[in-house]
Each structure stands twice: as C-alpha cells, then as structure tokens.
Amino acid sequence: MSATTEVTDPAASVAAPPAADPVRRGLDLGRFRDLSLVPAILALGVIGFIVSPAFLTADNLIGVAQQSTELSLLVLATALILIVGRMDLSLESTIGVAPVIAVWLVLPSSGGRFTGLGLFPEWMAVPLCLLVGVLIGAVNGFLILKLRLNGFIVTLGGLTMLRGLQVALSEGQSIVDLPSSFTYLGKASWLGVPAAIWICVMLFALGGSALAWLRHGRALYAIGGNAEAARTAGIRVDRIVWGVLILGSLLAAFAGILYSGHYGSVSATQGSGWIFQVFAATVIGGVSLNGGRGSVLGALTGVLTLQLVVNVMTLAGVPPLWNQFLNGAIIIVALIISRFASGEKQE
Amino acid sequence: MADRVAGDHVGGFLGTAEIAGPAADDDGEFHLPVGLHRTARDEHLVVGADHRAGVLHEDHGTWGDGGPGLGGVVAVVQTDADDLAGTGDGRADPDALGVEFGQRARPDGGAQPVEASGAQKRAIDVGGDGGRVQQQPVLGADGRLLLAGGAQAQGVAFLFISHHLQEVYDLCTTVTVYRDAAHILTAPVADLGHRALVEAMTGESATAAATSAAGGSASARTDSRELLRIEGLTLPGACEELSLSVHAGEVVGLAGATASGNVRLGEAIAGLHRSDSGTIRVDGRKLRPGSVPAALAAGVGLVPEDRHLQGLVGNRSVAENATLTVTDQLGPFGTVLPARTRTFAQRMIRDLDIKTPGAATPVSALSGGNQQKVVVARALATDPHVLVAIRPTNGVDVKSKEFLLGRISQVADAGKAALIVSDELDDLKVCDRVVVMFHGRVVARFDRGWKDEHVVAAMEGVGGPATASGVEHTAVSDPGQTEQPEQPQAHGR
C-alpha cells in the first residue's frame, strides 16, 4: 500500500523561530491590544478638527475630559469587577444614592429646602458618602459570595432598590444646598486643570499599576481567568472578589461626589441609565465580559472614544434628537473596530 | 515492557492535524495533505489512515443534514485524552470518547471542518444507507470499531488521529507518525511492532524510558522523618477514620477507583476540603482544615486532578501560571516584579523541560504534556515538603508521562515526600508503596514488588490473594465494618 498521507513540507514547519523572538512579539502585541482604540481616537480628533475650529481648543478638550471623569470612574470600577469575573449593575445607582444619603445625614433638620437629619457635622459628608459606597459593595459581596446568589440579578435588584431609595429620600427632587466640603473636589481647579481630571488620571494610574505589579492586582486576572485554578494556587478568591466589589462601589460613590460638586447639586436622576454606557465603554476598551482579560488603560480609551464622539457630534450640529440613535450605533461600530484591531473574539 | 506500554493505553495528546483540502485524483486515490500546526507544541502524532485506493466516487454521499451530493466523505476521528473526562484509562467513559470533528470533502476539493467542541460526543456513522453520513453518539472504543468497519464497508476513507495504540492497531491499516511537527514514518500497521511504534512516537527507546522511570527509588525509607501524617480523618462523603503517613524520601501511591475517595483525600491534604474530624500534619505541623493558603505555607504542593478546571489560567502566560503559588516571593511589599517573575519562570521551564516559545506565551497555546508540566511547576515552585499529585499524567503524551513521573520521584530523592493519587497503574509504578482505597477506606497496602492484578483487584473491591510475595495485604472484607486498618507506624516491614 502506498503512502497517501503527505506532509506539507516538514522543513517549513520545523523551522522554529529563535526563542527570543516570539516573546518580544507577544509583549508588543499585548501593549497594542490595550491601545487598539487609539487610532479611533486620533481619527475622531481629525474629524473634530475638520468639523469645527472650536474642537481643538484647550477649553473644549478639558471640557470633554471633565465630563468623562465621573463616567470614567464607573468604567474603572466596572473594568476591575469584570476582570475578576463578576458584574455590578448597581454602580449607576450608587453614584446617586451615596451622595443623597450622606447629605441627608449631615444637613440640618430645619431651615433648608431639603431637610436632613443633622446627625453629623457637615465635614463628614465626604467620608459618609464613601462609607455608604463601601457598605453597598459589602452587601453586594455578601449576597453574591456568601449566599451564592446570581450577581447579575442581585445587582439588578440593587440598581432598582437604591434608585428607589434615592427618590424616596430626596422626594424626587434635586438637592442644591450642598456642604462646601462636598462640592470642593468637583469644582476646584489645580494648575488650571479641574481637580477631577487629576484625580481620575491618578486613580487610573494606580489601578493600572496595581493590576500589573501588585500581587493582589494580578490575582484579579487569575481569578477572572479560572477561579478554581486560582483557589488551588492558594489565592483567597472570595476575599479578593469581595474587596473588588467594595472598591467598585467606593469608586462609584466617589464619582458621585465629583458629579455633585461639578453640577453643584445632587440630581434625582444622577447616574440613571449610565450603566449601559459604562459597560459599552469598558468592553470596547478591550475588557472581556467573561473575566480575566483587559486592562484599565484600555477601558480608559473606551470612555474617551465615547465622549469624543458625543462632543464631535454636538460641534457638528447634529440634532440632539438623533443623539441616542447615534450613541448606540457608535457603540456597535467601536466594538467592531476594537474586535478587528485587537484580533480577539469578544465572547 | 515495551509491548505492555504499547498495548496498554498510552496517554498523550497528539497535536492538531489540519486537513487542508482533501481531493480525490483521477484514479480515485485519496490524498490528504496533512499540515501540522506548529504552535508551541512538541507533539507525537499518530495518524492511522485507512485509505483504500479508489474508495471515493463522485456520486457518493450526502452529509448528515441531507445537503447536496458531495464528492466523497472522509471521516476524521481525533481522540484527545484531554477530553476524556477523568476516566483515567481512556475507555471507561463512553460519552467522553468519540469523534471530535468530522470533515467532509467538497467536490471542489475544499474541506469543511465540523466544529470540534460541539461534535466531541458524536460519531460519524458511515453504516447508513448510500453513504449517507449521520452523527450520533458513539459507544466508546467498540463504537469506533464499528465506525471503522462501516467506513471500510462503505469504501470511505477513514483517518484516525489518536495515541490509543491498541485502537490504532484495531482500526487502521496504515499508520503515520509525526513528532515535533516532522514526519517520522508511514508504514502498514501489520508490519509495525508496538515497540517500534512507541519508539517512533517518543524518539527514544521505550525500554530505556520505562526502566529509568521504574528505577527511581529502590526501597522504602520508612525510618526517615515523617513528612505527612493523617490521623482518623473523616471527610464527608469521601472517607472515614482514615490514617496514612508518608516519610521523607518516599513516593506513596494512593490508588482507588473513581468513587473511592482517594482524589478527595488528596485535595483535602492541599486544603481544598474541610474535614469533619481527624488531623493532617505536615512535617509535624497541624494543618488548618479547608485552607489552601495554610496548606501551601505548611509545605504542601498540589498537582490538581484536572488541569483545565483547577490547574491553569489558560489565557495567562506560562510565567504567571508557573509562579501563581509563589507570588509572595516575587517582590517586596506585595509587589510582583516582572524581572523576578521571568527569572523564576525560566528556572521552572528549564527544570521541567517545558517546551514553550517563551515565558510570556499563553499557557493555552502549549500542548497537553507541556501544560501539565506547567501545573507541576506551579506545585513545585514552593519547594514543598509534600507533593500531592492527583492523576499527574492524565492526558499527556508518552514522553512527558515518563518525564513527569521521573520528576516526581526526584522530589522524593531530594528528601521530600510525594503522594501520587491515581488509578493508573503506570503512575503507581514509580511508587515505593501503594495504599489502596475503596469506598472511603484503606483496604490494602502494598510494598514494592506488588503485582498489578492485586492492586487492580483491591481497587475494584475484590479481596485478592494476600499471600503473594512482597505483598502486605490487609483487605477489609466487609466494607460496613468500622475496624481500623493497621496503624501507620506498622508499614515498611
């Protein structure tokens, strides 16, 4: 019997590349994957420049950055939570309810338009707001990790419940008479740039460094990639996931402080409907919904892309009635771009 | 020895063969240009191809969905020990066996692969009418025999990709071996002895490899320090009042069939399960039950049963996986320094001879054997006192298997203790002693020189002849009885 199974030129496949080469290529590829949206951002810049001379001015760009800050903090939180393999939809309610509870606890019980309890001095507003964030994250973690409830549904319930709590406490109205300590960070400007931008940049740098170089940060990838393998390697999976959920809610509460300070009030609909944009920005930034993949830097490029699109459309005079349609379309297009720029399936 | 290896199931995944467009030429002979993916693999590929000349005709065959007439059908069968969910011998679980992907030749010569994932449990039944191909569940090796018979009867080319040597002999007329992405040989199966085939697959003499593994450690060293001591351990649903001890320099086998509780016991030592009562001591230190970090700190290294489920983070690098247990040693103040990680990983890659393009390669790109080496590297990274290896050669190729077992023996030679939890006789070969569990109890203990059939009989719960030479047999005839097996101090006599 003759041999009819042939090899396609074994010599070609045997010729393995030198050992060092693929390593370098792998690293470069990894870096490139994080930044797959950078070309899209540059393209948006060019389009913005063509559309309106007002685009490429410091005022406009700082404005875009400032508007991105609150959203980007939620994106940072979502990126961390997604990388560890979980979800938290209630973040968009935390951004509203945490400031409301904090303000409700410190504002005097008579005199103002909004009557609080006056239980704490006014300077306590910021710490209280952050504490509320921590509590929300801790409760979410308890329900998901101890009672083993489905995280998606639990936080969906949390989203609705916390939004309801905010409406009930604020009686459905915006709270305008905020303590000055509470509005400082959202209003202040350091070295000519809003403090919120500095803080965001710093938090993203911290988050990125932690994921790259900290033991517990790197554990996030291991847990999101294969929680059981992480457990057998001695990583305290539940403890770290709980910590990440708390950190996420804390970031959302902090975003609430920046947002309230920026607009000088806690609006009743603060954060409402944001979670879709947050998820869209995170995913087009290269973070996998299945956990274990992505970076906070990539997520940041996702937010910037979405915000730039809105800005360019506004400058181009697109009727606001089309905004929602275009926003959705942009998300899908951005997904397609990042899918092919990174060469990875987004499952 | 070589005959036994070849005749038995030989574990090992064999790489990916890509059929890049089979096409029948004028005289009806079927040519399969087989290209090999060379990723980070170092593979042994056995392809048994039954290609009877002139078997394919233009008027043959429709694919299962009743599509248009096709130029011919090629059945490509690939078995992958990775997917033989934990049955050990690769035959016991019929559902996990079968055709991984089918491939059909289109008249234009293109090939259309059927997705491997969904088709794993399906077979191509070529015995249907008029060359019609259907997919249905296959019944293990017998099903494949039928399949091959059907293929021959129908005059359909049949390509079988496997490391199950016996099946290659049963099913195929011609065998082709690839190793390291190179074509090694193509020969009629009938003319090729088991020994020659194994040698072609491994590239080294099978007898030499077998003896080097078996000659690991000569005698039990029970007079040395006791590194692992289990006393009266009760794990819910797994074992009751179990005692066991492993000394420095010893490789002890913990054998048992699937429901015997041996795997759970191994995992409990590593802190994965909480015990109801009893203690586990490592080098005299009592372990906190149910805590993996505590077990790691006390010096337990674990090679988990299933590397995909418990051992590896697939999309992370070899370096990261190999150092996952030692992240606390890779930098000050809770940091993990990339340079130190890389250095550490390079050392493990050299130590375990992991074939990878680099430390930064995702571990999922490696072959089964090399992935398993990464899991072992992860367990050895902490330099453990006690290495618990659960089915350490599950789904790896022959060469890696010998290597891994040899490496585990080295752990014992270096003065540490190793516990091999397995139901595979090949794994137990390197052990100084074998303790057999059945339904949560120790039913037999064997010293070196045991007979395979006695171990198997004990694993199956059949009281074997206790008088055989070199066998110390303390079979518990009635599993309902709560009497204790002998005390740990007693063995090694």
Side-chain angles (χ1 to χ4, degrees):
Chain A
M1 187 172 294
S2 67
T4 48
T5 310
E6 291 162 17
V7 208
T8 52
D9 188 13
S13 45
V14 165
D21 217 4
V23 182
R24 205 174 307 130
R25 212 184 309 135
L27 283 177
D28 286 346
L29 249 175
R31 219 165 277 157
F32 177 64
R33 206 175 290 137
D34 282 353
L35 305 175
S36 63
L37 279 179
V38 168
I41 292 176
L42 292 180
L44 278 171
V46 173
I47 295 170
F49 180 71
I50 295 167
V51 160
S52 162
F55 176 79
L56 217 58
T57 58
D59 278 354
N60 182 55
L61 292 182
I62 287 179
V64 171
Q66 163 110 44
Q67 276 164 15
S68 311
T69 51
E70 298 91 11
L71 191 67
S72 70
L73 286 185
L74 289 197
V75 166
L76 176 60
T78 299
L80 296 176
I81 294 170
L82 282 181
I83 287 172
V84 85
R86 300 285 172 169
M87 261 184 207
D88 187 353
L89 304 178
S90 64
L91 292 175
E92 74 153 46
S93 294
T94 307
I95 191 176
V97 78
V100 166
I101 293 178
V103 168
W104 175 61
L105 288 173
V106 300
L107 283 188
S109 51
S110 60
R113 268 182 57 203
F114 175 78
T115 53
L117 296 178
L119 289 175
F120 297 92
E122 287 203 340
W123 63 266
M124 283 288 287
V126 170
L128 281 172
C129 181
L130 298 179
L131 186 68
V132 170
V134 168
L135 278 178
I136 292 172
V139 170
N140 279 337
F142 175 78
L143 295 174
I144 297 170
L145 299 167
K146 291 293 161 193
L147 304 188
R148 297 280 158 193
L149 302 181
N150 180 298
F152 184 84
I153 302 298
V154 162
T155 57
L156 188 63
L159 181 153
T160 314
M161 188 181 77
L162 295 174
R163 177 70 57 204
L165 182 62
Q166 182 190 353
V167 169
L169 287 179
S170 67
E171 290 154 359
Q173 295 184 338
S174 298
I175 304 172
V176 289
D177 37 0
L178 299 174
S180 60
S181 69
F182 204 75
T183 54
Y184 171 75
L185 285 175
K187 276 202 162 67
S189 208
W190 299 338
L191 304 174
V193 177
I197 295 178
W198 289 115
I199 292 171
C200 269
V201 168
M202 203 185 66
L203 287 176
F204 267 86
L206 278 178
S209 314
L211 288 193
W213 295 305
L214 279 192
R215 190 182 158 201
H216 293 300
R218 290 171 66 98
L220 263 55
Y221 287 106
I223 295 170
N226 186 347
E228 198 49 37
R231 193 164 89 92
T232 57
I235 293 172
R236 292 179 168 91
V237 172
D238 278 7
R239 207 181 288 185
I240 290 179
V241 171
W242 207 333
V244 170
L245 288 173
I246 290 174
L247 184 64
S249 291
L250 178 66
L251 282 169
F254 188 66
I257 296 174
L258 292 186
Y259 191 86
S260 308
H262 185 196
Y263 295 100
S265 68
V266 185
S267 104
T269 57
Q270 186 161 316
S272 180
W274 280 24
I275 201 69
F276 301 106
Q277 265 203 311
V278 169
F279 266 76
T282 315
V283 172
I284 65 177
V287 177
S288 164
L289 286 174
N290 292 336
R293 266 173 214 266
S295 71
V296 295
L297 188 59
L300 182 62
T301 63
V303 193
L304 292 180
T305 307
L306 289 190
Q307 293 293 317
L308 277 177
V309 167
V310 173
N311 183 248
V312 169
M313 284 193 314
T314 313
L315 289 177
V318 174
L321 288 175
W322 282 90
N323 268 357
Q324 197 176 354
F325 167 79
L326 288 172
N327 240 328
I330 293 304
I331 288 172
I332 292 173
V333 170
L335 264 180
I336 295 171
I337 292 173
S338 80
R339 158 72 181 88
F340 288 100
S342 70
E344 271 186 13
K345 284 189 226 169
Q346 300 157 342
E347 286 150 76
Chain B
M1 187 64 211
D3 279 340
R4 215 202 66 73
V5 170
D8 207 288
H9 152 75
V10 176
F13 173 53
L14 303 149
T16 311
E18 195 175 62
I19 315 297
D25 63 14
D26 290 343
D27 57 358
E29 187 157 293
F30 209 70
H31 294 282
L32 296 175
V34 177
L36 282 179
H37 275 308
R38 168 119 185 149
T39 50
R41 296 170 182 277
D42 162 34
E43 304 295 4
H44 319 291
L45 177 63
V46 180
V47 179
D50 176 358
H51 35 57
R52 302 197 318 173
V55 293
L56 291 167
H57 301 289
E58 292 301 318
D59 56 353
H60 253 194
T62 51
W63 194 243
D65 53 3
L70 295 161
V73 176
V74 192
V76 178
V77 183
Q78 175 164 358
T79 62
D80 178 356
D82 283 3
D83 296 305
L84 305 179
T87 58
D89 66 356
R91 287 163 203 253
D93 179 6
D95 281 350
L97 283 173
V99 171
E100 239 185 72
F101 48 83
Q103 198 142 4
R104 62 179 169 178
R106 292 199 302 262
D108 60 7
Q112 189 179 338
V114 175
E115 278 293 322
S117 55
Q120 275 171 7
K121 294 183 180 176
R122 284 175 286 169
I124 304 163
D125 173 12
V126 230
D129 53 318
R132 189 182 151 85
V133 175
Q134 288 175 330
Q135 297 192 327
Q136 42 175 247
V138 70
L139 296 169
D142 293 344
R144 276 191 296 217
L145 274 174
L146 281 174
L147 167 60
Q152 278 183 330
Q154 287 291 323
V156 169
F158 181 75
L159 178 64
F160 182 65
I161 303 173
S162 178
H163 55 275
H164 296 293
L165 292 195
Q166 194 53 54
E167 290 177 16
V168 169
Y169 281 97
D170 289 346
L171 297 179
C172 305
T173 53
T174 305
V175 62
T176 297
V177 177
Y178 290 96
R179 189 180 70 245
D180 298 341
H183 181 218
I184 304 297
L185 69 81
T186 296
V189 171
D191 302 348
L192 194 66
H194 280 135
R195 185 187 300 245
L197 183 52
V198 170
E199 279 178 22
M201 286 171 66
T202 60
E204 45 192 57
S205 161
T207 26
T211 44
S212 76
S217 30
S219 62
R221 306 144 171 124
T222 41
D223 49 343
S224 56
R225 200 151 53 110
E226 191 176 47
L227 285 181
L228 174 70
R229 184 191 182 91
I230 300 172
E231 275 177 300
L233 192 75
T234 299
L235 289 168
C239 70
E240 262 176 59
E241 290 290 315
L242 193 135
S243 297
L244 179 76
S245 86
V246 184
H247 289 78
E250 249 191 332
V251 183
V252 173
L254 185 60
T258 308
S260 67
N262 63 341
V263 170
R264 271 185 84 87
L265 176 60
E267 289 176 347
I269 298 168
L272 285 170
H273 303 296
R274 206 178 289 266
S275 53
D276 275 1
S277 64
T279 56
I280 302 172
R281 281 173 204 279
V282 173
D283 200 15
R285 241 171 90 189
K286 196 176 158 220
L287 284 190
R288 190 148 63 87
S291 164
V292 183
L296 268 179
V300 178
L302 172 71
V303 177
E305 179 182 13
D306 185 323
R307 63 172 166 273
H308 298 299
L309 291 180
Q310 304 165 292
L312 296 170
V313 187
N315 61 354
R316 307 302 292 176
S317 69
V318 171
E320 192 168 336
N321 273 285
T323 57
L324 206 56
T325 51
V326 289
T327 45
D328 51 340
Q329 299 171 20
L330 298 172
F333 314 115
T335 54
V336 175
L337 303 177
R340 223 184 276 188
T341 306
R342 211 161 36 239
T343 316
F344 199 104
Q346 296 289 6
R347 187 156 65 77
M348 297 314 289
I349 287 170
R350 266 195 311 276
D351 178 20
L352 281 152
D353 190 29
I354 299 170
K355 300 277 191 332
T356 169
T361 309
V363 77
S364 56
L366 302 188
S367 68
N370 284 303
Q371 287 184 354
Q372 186 68 15
K373 285 179 182 175
V374 174
V375 178
V376 175
R378 193 182 91 155
L380 292 177
T382 55
D383 197 15
H385 289 307
V386 177
L387 176 68
V388 178
I390 304 177
R391 298 185 214 271
T393 64
N394 199 4
V396 307
D397 56 282
V398 185
K399 206 165 149 190
S400 301
K401 186 174 190 165
E402 301 296 355
F403 180 87
L404 286 170
L405 290 174
R407 186 65 187 81
I408 292 170
S409 302
Q410 273 178 32
V411 172
D413 292 342
K416 305 292 164 69
L419 184 69
I420 296 181
V421 181
S422 182
D423 56 359
E424 285 218 45
L425 292 172
D426 285 352
D427 290 352
L428 303 174
K429 287 251 175 322
V430 296
C431 300
D432 300 311
R433 291 190 286 129
V434 173
V435 175
V436 182
M437 282 178 72
F438 182 73
H439 284 317
R441 276 166 219 292
V442 172
V443 292
R445 295 164 192 261
F446 298 94
D447 275 341
R448 184 166 276 288
W450 67 82
K451 293 247 178 354
D452 283 355
E453 57 264 34
H454 296 152
V455 172
V456 171
M459 283 200 288
E460 301 297 331
V462 186
T467 50
S469 65
V471 174
E472 176 195 338
H473 197 209
T474 57
V476 178
S477 49
D478 175 15
Q481 225 171 306
T482 48
E483 102 186 359
Q484 263 297 324
E486 59 175 358
Q487 284 306 302
Q489 295 95 306
H491 28 249
R493 288 180 306 228

